[in-house]
Amino acid sequence: MKLIYLLFFVLVNGLLVAQNSTDGGVILGKLTDDNTSLPLEYASVRVLKAADSTQCAAVYTDELGKFLFENLSFGTYILKISRPGFQTYYSKQLVISASAKFYNCSVIRLGVLTGSLNEVNLSANLDVLRVGIDKKIYNVGEDLSVKGGTANDILTRLPSVDLDQEGKISLRGEGSVTILIDGRPSSISGGNGSNLLDALPAFSIERVEIVTNPSAKYDPDGNSGIINIVLKKNKLKGFNGAISSNLGTGNIRSGTVAETNLSLSYRSGPANIYGIYSYRYLDGFRNNYSNLNQLNPDGSRFILDQDRIGSDLNTGHTFRTGVDFNLKDRQILGFSATGSMGVRDRTGDLWNETYDSLGQRTALWQRISYDPSQQQNLDFNVNYRHDFKNELGSFVFDANQSLGKEGIQGYYKENYFDVDSFPEEGKKPLEQRLNNKEGNNITSVQADLTKIIPKISARIEMGVKAIIRNQQVVTYSETLDTLLNNYFEDSLANFKYQYKERIYSAYGIFGQQLGKFKYQGGLRFEQAYQLPNLVSEGKEINNAPYFNIFPSIFLLYELHAKTNLSLSYSKRITRPSSVDMNPFTNYSDLFNLRVGNPYLKPEYTDSYDLSFAHERKYYNVSSSFYYRNAKGVISRVKEFYDNNTSAVTFMNIAQTHSLGSDIMLNFKPNSWWRSSISWNGNYIWYLTNQSSLPNREGYFHNFKLNTSIEFWKKSAVLQVSHTYNGKRITVQGIAQRQGPTDIALEKRLAKGKWSIGARVSDIFNVQGFYFMVDRPTFEQTSTFKWLTRRYYLLVSYKFGKLEVSNKKSNLNESGTGD
């Protein structure tokens, strides 16, 4: 460990003093409104040759009004800066030479064109999918197929992402992925181990970022990477808003969908106030079928068929509100709150049949269930940012408090029948009821410092972070005594469980550009504690705290303009969740129990990624080859017992190897047609070193397509999307989520203020989930189907002074938007 420290600090200090030249010039600056001194976002900045005004490079200013050009050839240039509603700006001549490579334009003020802000509309569109140097970006607003949907609907359309029947997310074929909301852990994303993203409407999401090999600046959790869901936050000047409504149905009599969304913002002077509200009502069904065939020790067989039909009603309210203050001396202070409140009611009618080796029915019973639940989640955030003079870095402080609670009630009744399907005489129905309460409290505080060193084209980043989690689960179950007609406690099924997690970390990163070559190295130091507490048994599991160092390396070489090759490495960790470590048994289905393992250890992964990116006027393509080696892999396994019951539990198996590739293509052959295509395939080896779990290996791939055509003078859009997921190998069998084909149509009216549309989700009604567990003495197959084919009508209205729909897309060679 001392050697690692020594090598890191020698590398950083050596690089800080060794390189004092670069092959190209740098031009940077910041753009503000001359009247308000506020930063101007979305402005186009072009570098033109002074001799003939040909364009050499172009970008849009970011949300802080900043722009940066690097690796410019020696020569004489001028800057041309323009933005709708403002006067065009031309700089003086800038001469870049061996003795003058760095130009800081400082603050450039643009004057407003008189009367030009009454109504301005930019109609250029973003790609649904875009590729950055270290991430893939999915722009939600450009995908018509998720309008009226939820965050889970969005995730199923992301490259290399898959969901199972319980909403568990996998990335690149593996199920360890960290979900963040606005870059932070949150109860909304399922902080207590469950997935609550079905309650988050797609309307409230601006974009989703996928980072498969994060740097040391990010938390190291999730061996497959990070999915960051960025919520909307309107920053347009003046008073702006949008309202939309979606109505849908699954068939004539059921499957009703209703959604109403409202977005408002007001920006004037130093303050920006914004708010979003959404209401959602979703009615449907959720059915599943399971067949279990088990070989008993005496040579006989036990066969169990389970067939369930049920309803599923999900309603909820979601809001987000906040205010940003632009203070003096390049400082911004922001406050925000995000919350959701939902109700989910599920009913089930489960028929159970058992058979012997000869196929003769031996038992028949019915289990009727009603499971209402209530969720409340609330996040508070304070954010402070200070940009240093001359664009030489920044300091950011962020504090977030996330609170969540969920109440689940269960009402169950079992009716017994003889093998001829008649009510069994003398055996009264079994009636049970359950009350489960869960609480979740997450506090995160972090500070990040960035320092730019222009003389050597270098950047230093460092920061500290603390995450504190406190979670609690209390379950109380009771059964009706039919003789006394009174309910009595089920002491076996009742428990109180608490979980505490403390993670303290610090990181340092150094990066530099040497001509066409860029490199970045970083280390993250972390001390972690995970403490499950079995309160009802008076037992606290004292798992030892663990200290880790997580290195990351990123290398990039620019082959030529907009074409680069990169190589990256990172070490990552997957911690067992509080649910995985909860040792108390869930008895809601006596033949399919669930029990956690409080002695689970963290899983560690070494991740390598070789990537290629190429961008041209009509298309851009990116591809990656990756390899991951994980040790102490946390695996979900199903145990089968001699009494013919089974339980899902968790254990650390030896290791896995995963080798794969992915490719993503954005294709825009003309101004009215664009498509995004992504493919991922990987081969995985499970090495268990356990006789009860044989080694397994297999191949998995998925394919996703999104294509849209503009017509009717570009006022209408037709969009089709399709997803295919192959069978995925698991440690005990296979799993597959069948993908949907969606179609959507939208027509814009009144210069884009109004829009009406329609869409059909899962046209062929094939979306569902299937898994099989295959072991020497038993086999189980299960299929799940829920209401996926729905018909929607959509209407929306926008109002305000300015609408910009292509926030940060790059300019092409001709200087026009993509």
Side-chain angles (χ1 to χ4, degrees), residues 426-674:
K427 192 168 186 179
K428 295 185 178 181
L430 172 68
E431 294 190 40
Q432 297 172 303
R433 59 190 185 190
L434 169 76
N435 187 18
N436 184 86
K437 296 181 179 179
E438 300 184 15
N440 188 40
N441 187 330
I442 307 174
T443 303
S444 63
V445 180
Q446 69 182 83
D448 301 282
L449 177 67
T450 302
K451 182 65 176 176
I452 306 297
I453 310 175
K455 290 184 178 180
I456 59 172
S457 299
R459 183 185 75 259
I460 296 177
E461 296 181 69
M462 60 187 69
V464 293
K465 186 174 185 178
I467 302 177
I468 300 174
R469 301 176 190 263
N470 293 297
Q471 299 167 0
Q472 178 173 282
V473 180
V474 180
T475 295
Y476 182 80
S477 176
E478 53 188 8
T479 300
L480 178 66
D481 187 318
T482 55
L483 295 178
L484 300 177
N485 196 30
N486 196 10
Y487 282 91
F488 289 89
E489 178 184 358
D490 297 324
S491 57
L492 183 64
N494 295 341
F495 64 86
K496 182 177 182 180
Y497 169 69
Q498 292 179 342
Y499 173 79
K500 297 179 180 179
E501 182 178 283
R502 308 288 186 265
I503 302 173
Y504 307 101
S505 58
Y507 72 89
I509 297 174
F510 178 83
Q512 187 178 31
Q513 177 173 347
L514 306 174
K516 294 184 177 183
F517 177 69
K518 297 180 182 179
Y519 68 90
Q520 176 180 288
L523 291 176
R524 189 177 188 94
F525 307 88
E526 184 185 272
Q527 180 75 39
Y529 306 82
Q530 288 185 285
L531 302 173
N533 184 6
L534 320 183
V535 179
S536 52
E537 293 186 358
K539 184 178 181 181
E540 185 169 352
I541 309 298
N542 292 315
N543 291 330
Y546 47 95
F547 174 79
N548 287 294
I549 300 176
F550 298 96
S552 67
I553 301 172
F554 185 86
L555 308 174
L556 183 143
Y557 182 74
E558 186 177 7
L559 300 174
H560 48 80
K562 298 186 179 181
T563 302
N564 60 69
L565 186 68
S566 62
L567 176 66
S568 62
Y569 162 79
S570 68
K571 180 182 179 181
R572 308 198 55 74
I573 186 173
T574 298
R575 305 175 218 277
S577 70
S578 63
V579 172
D580 297 344
M581 301 179 75
N582 184 352
F584 295 103
T585 304
N586 184 329
Y587 290 92
S588 59
D589 182 348
L590 297 179
F591 283 87
N592 294 280
L593 309 176
R594 181 187 175 98
V595 56
N597 179 0
Y599 299 100
L600 285 173
K601 302 299 182 183
E603 166 188 339
Y604 295 95
T605 302
D606 293 299
S607 179
Y608 304 83
D609 201 304
L610 175 64
S611 299
F612 171 79
H614 177 68
E615 183 174 349
R616 284 296 177 261
K617 183 176 182 180
Y618 298 114
Y619 70 93
N620 61 73
V621 61
S622 68
S623 62
S624 298
F625 294 91
Y626 56 88
Y627 168 73
R628 291 193 298 260
N629 175 220
K631 297 179 181 179
V633 178
I634 300 172
S635 298
R636 173 178 171 170
V637 297
K638 195 160 191 176
E639 297 290 349
F640 291 83
Y641 307 120
D642 292 342
N643 63 355
N644 300 131
T645 63
S646 63
V648 172
T649 187
F650 302 87
M651 65 174 61
N652 294 98
I653 67 173
Q655 62 176 317
T656 63
H657 297 273
S658 180
L659 181 65
S661 66
D662 59 28
I663 186 168
M664 196 177 85
L665 170 68
N666 286 322
F667 182 56
K668 297 172 289 185
N670 48 54
S671 62
W672 51 268
W673 179 31
R674 55 193 175 124

Side-chain angles (χ1 to χ4, degrees), residues 9 13 44 46 100 108 134 150 170 213 219 272 301 399 458 480 516 533 546 586 631 708 720 726 730 755:
F9 289 112
N13 290 327
S44 65
R46 299 173 174 84
I108 300 173
D134 61 346
T150 68
S170 63
N213 216 12
D219 294 330
N272 174 41
R301 287 199 171 271
L480 178 66
K516 294 184 177 183
N533 184 6
Y546 47 95
N586 184 329
K631 297 179 181 179
S708 61
V720 178
T730 68
S755 68

Side-chain angles (χ1 to χ4, degrees), residues 554-809:
F554 185 86
L555 308 174
L556 183 143
Y557 182 74
E558 186 177 7
L559 300 174
H560 48 80
K562 298 186 179 181
T563 302
N564 60 69
L565 186 68
S566 62
L567 176 66
S568 62
Y569 162 79
S570 68
K571 180 182 179 181
R572 308 198 55 74
I573 186 173
T574 298
R575 305 175 218 277
S577 70
S578 63
V579 172
D580 297 344
M581 301 179 75
N582 184 352
F584 295 103
T585 304
N586 184 329
Y587 290 92
S588 59
D589 182 348
L590 297 179
F591 283 87
N592 294 280
L593 309 176
R594 181 187 175 98
V595 56
N597 179 0
Y599 299 100
L600 285 173
K601 302 299 182 183
E603 166 188 339
Y604 295 95
T605 302
D606 293 299
S607 179
Y608 304 83
D609 201 304
L610 175 64
S611 299
F612 171 79
H614 177 68
E615 183 174 349
R616 284 296 177 261
K617 183 176 182 180
Y618 298 114
Y619 70 93
N620 61 73
V621 61
S622 68
S623 62
S624 298
F625 294 91
Y626 56 88
Y627 168 73
R628 291 193 298 260
N629 175 220
K631 297 179 181 179
V633 178
I634 300 172
S635 298
R636 173 178 171 170
V637 297
K638 195 160 191 176
E639 297 290 349
F640 291 83
Y641 307 120
D642 292 342
N643 63 355
N644 300 131
T645 63
S646 63
V648 172
T649 187
F650 302 87
M651 65 174 61
N652 294 98
I653 67 173
Q655 62 176 317
T656 63
H657 297 273
S658 180
L659 181 65
S661 66
D662 59 28
I663 186 168
M664 196 177 85
L665 170 68
N666 286 322
F667 182 56
K668 297 172 289 185
N670 48 54
S671 62
W672 51 268
W673 179 31
R674 55 193 175 124
S675 297
S676 296
I677 302 172
S678 66
W679 174 87
N680 172 73
N682 73 303
Y683 198 92
I684 188 168
W685 294 262
Y686 291 96
L687 307 179
T688 65
N689 292 340
Q690 298 183 30
S691 58
S692 60
L693 285 175
N695 295 342
R696 292 180 61 85
E697 60 183 78
Y699 176 74
F700 163 78
H701 72 283
N702 66 5
F703 168 84
K704 300 185 180 183
L705 165 70
N706 187 298
T707 185
S708 61
I709 297 174
E710 290 185 302
F711 58 99
W712 209 335
K713 297 182 179 180
K714 291 190 176 183
S715 67
V717 180
L718 176 67
Q719 187 176 87
V720 178
S721 63
H722 173 72
T723 297
Y724 170 78
N725 298 309
K727 294 181 179 180
R728 177 166 50 89
I729 301 298
T730 68
V731 70
Q732 285 188 304
I734 60 173
Q736 182 180 24
R737 181 183 177 108
Q738 290 82 7
T741 300
D742 302 335
I743 186 169
L745 174 68
E746 183 181 65
K747 176 70 172 73
R748 296 182 294 273
L749 305 169
K751 297 182 180 180
K753 287 187 174 181
W754 285 92
S755 68
I756 56 175
R759 78 178 180 97
V760 182
S761 63
D762 194 14
I763 298 174
F764 304 110
N765 199 29
V766 297
Q767 189 174 5
F769 187 82
Y770 164 84
F771 76 83
M772 181 182 70
V773 177
D774 185 11
R775 294 178 66 175
T777 59
F778 58 80
E779 179 181 292
Q780 182 180 12
T781 59
S782 296
T783 59
F784 297 82
K785 186 71 179 82
W786 54 97
L787 183 54
T788 56
R789 182 163 59 189
R790 298 179 184 271
Y791 307 88
Y792 295 83
L793 292 176
L794 319 164
V795 61
S796 66
Y797 173 70
K798 300 177 182 179
F799 55 91
K801 292 184 177 180
L802 183 66
E803 175 194 346
V804 179
S805 59
N806 63 337
K807 288 187 177 181
K808 295 184 182 179
S809 58

Side-chain angles (χ1 to χ4, degrees), residues 275-339:
I276 294 175
Y277 168 78
S278 180
Y279 169 75
R280 179 175 172 81
Y281 178 98
L282 180 67
D283 183 22
F285 64 79
R286 193 173 186 88
N287 304 334
N288 70 275
Y289 171 78
S290 175
N291 174 266
L292 169 67
N293 192 322
Q294 182 175 357
L295 179 64
N296 295 321
D298 61 3
S300 64
R301 287 199 171 271
F302 172 77
I303 301 172
L304 171 66
D305 277 345
Q306 294 183 298
D307 194 351
R308 178 188 183 276
I309 60 173
S311 64
D312 192 354
L313 173 63
N314 197 338
T315 66
H317 306 264
T318 302
F319 76 89
R320 175 175 171 83
T321 184
V323 58
D324 293 331
F325 297 100
N326 288 273
L327 308 176
K328 295 180 178 180
D329 299 324
R330 305 165 305 283
Q331 300 178 83
I332 299 176
L333 179 64
F335 303 89
S336 67
T338 303

